[in-house]
Amino acid sequence: MLNKIKTIANQKKVAKPKHLVALDIGTEYVKALIGRIQGDEIEIIGVGRAHQELSDMQSGAIADIGGVVDNCDKALSDAERQAGVEAKDVIIGIAGELVKGMTSTVRLKRPEPDKHLDVDELERIIKRVQDRALQNARQRLAYELGQKEVDVRLVNSALVSIEIDGYKVTNPVGFQGREVAIQLFTAFAPMIHIGALERAAEELNLDVLAVAAEPFAVARSVIGTDASTNLSAVLVDVGGGTTDIAVVNDGGVEGTKMFGIGGRSFTRSVSNDMDTTFETAEGMKLHIGSGHLGKEEETKVVEAVDKTLSVWIDGVELALSEFTTLDHLPNKILLCGGGASLENLVTKLKGTSWTKELPFTRPPSVQHISPEQVVGIVDKTGKINDHTYITAMGLLRVGLDTMSAGDSEPGSIRDRLNKLLTI
């Protein structure tokens, strides 16, 4: 796997593109961004968006390749017209309940503790962590799908921490010690979903630079390249079909969780309770608090939304309860995605009843991620002005990281390995 990552980086080093495309293929919308590479930053020069039909996606994964390709083409065409260029190198986001992100730890007793640690030894340890995580992901997916074996592929990998004899280091090269402990975040996805994304890219005549787990991309958007960052936050991306959660602790991605409740679940609840079409129910949901609904009508719509919100907040609580390796959860919740625009959802998160059984040291603050918080990505179009494009911006961040893997400039070992491991 490491050799494969190196090969990708070396190929891009030979023919380094000047522009990148980010495709956020969501359940509700396809979002396309075209970015111009300017040193260590990307300037967004083109933005496009196209609505998805109900049958195009299922729980965050592609259900109709032809329909999704048509929507991607519309979004890309709009972005290209604005940018005035066509870009071929694409970073595609992958989401859904079957994308598994986890942090694994390997503790290795070194046979020669007096020997200085080098990069080759670190790579061998990292390969061991990846192999163990791959086996765990296969077993979990096979159990969930009721199959004997599921073909999965690593989509993202990044260092969380390195310890030598219990002492945390940022650059382990040159250290001596008997025990090395490496924590590594890895994200895996079923090949059937990755294959659908790659087929869509082929139909669009795009070259896939990277496929990225979307919660990982959101995390990369706010972490950036600062190896010394101490950012700790719970990142919640509420899409149309799924909710993706990433926990970042002291600048490292601890893990990701996903569950199949998103904006469309709230709309279906309104549709069922109000006995109306999905499209009409969507309009009702979006008009809560706007004054466009009658008092009695709004009361019923809010009640319908709140029923699903209760299930959704239970999903958030369950997902966060599975981060058992942390002594306590970060006291900051950062939101993005179209579903996070629902005011009732934000109010529900700000309540304290759901946090009582979780290891928060105090009630968490809740806020939306602003485009200005995304590290190294600058909007030149004036069209990105809220949290709904954060995932797509994060995909550009992953693309920048992937291209940087081929750079020859020396840096810290943490920075070098993070760039090496980010596919």
Side-chain angles (χ1 to χ4, degrees), residues 100 102 104 129-142 188:
K100 302 300 179 186
M102 66 201 79
S104 304
V129 183
Q130 288 177 330
D131 289 343
R132 177 182 293 183
L134 174 62
Q135 186 60 33
N136 288 339
R138 281 176 175 160
Q139 291 174 352
R140 289 172 61 184
L141 284 169
F188 296 89

Side-chain angles (χ1 to χ4, degrees), residues 347-393:
T347 302
K348 194 80 171 179
L349 274 179
K350 288 181 176 179
T352 57
S353 60
W354 70 274
T355 65
K356 291 180 180 178
E357 301 300 321
L358 295 172
F360 287 106
T361 57
R362 62 176 184 272
S365 64
V366 181
Q367 65 186 72
H368 291 100
I369 304 173
S370 69
E372 291 74 26
Q373 289 175 274
V374 178
V375 181
I377 311 295
V378 180
D379 176 37
K380 293 293 184 179
T381 68
K383 290 192 171 185
I384 299 178
N385 49 28
D386 63 21
H387 56 277
T388 60
Y389 279 93
I390 299 301
T391 302
M393 295 176 76

Side-chain angles (χ1 to χ4, degrees), residues 103-123:
T103 294
S104 304
T105 302
V106 161
R107 297 183 182 275
L108 181 69
K109 297 287 186 181
R110 303 178 69 221
E112 300 178 74
D114 294 334
K115 181 182 177 182
H116 296 288
L117 200 68
D118 58 24
V119 175
D120 290 339
E121 186 177 354
L122 279 175
E123 289 188 358

Side-chain angles (χ1 to χ4, degrees), residues 138-158:
R138 281 176 175 160
Q139 291 174 352
R140 289 172 61 184
L141 284 169
Y143 174 79
E144 291 180 21
L145 294 172
Q147 299 180 14
K148 290 184 177 180
E149 189 173 344
V150 178
D151 191 10
V152 301
R153 193 169 88 188
L154 177 71
V155 290
N156 296 110
S157 186

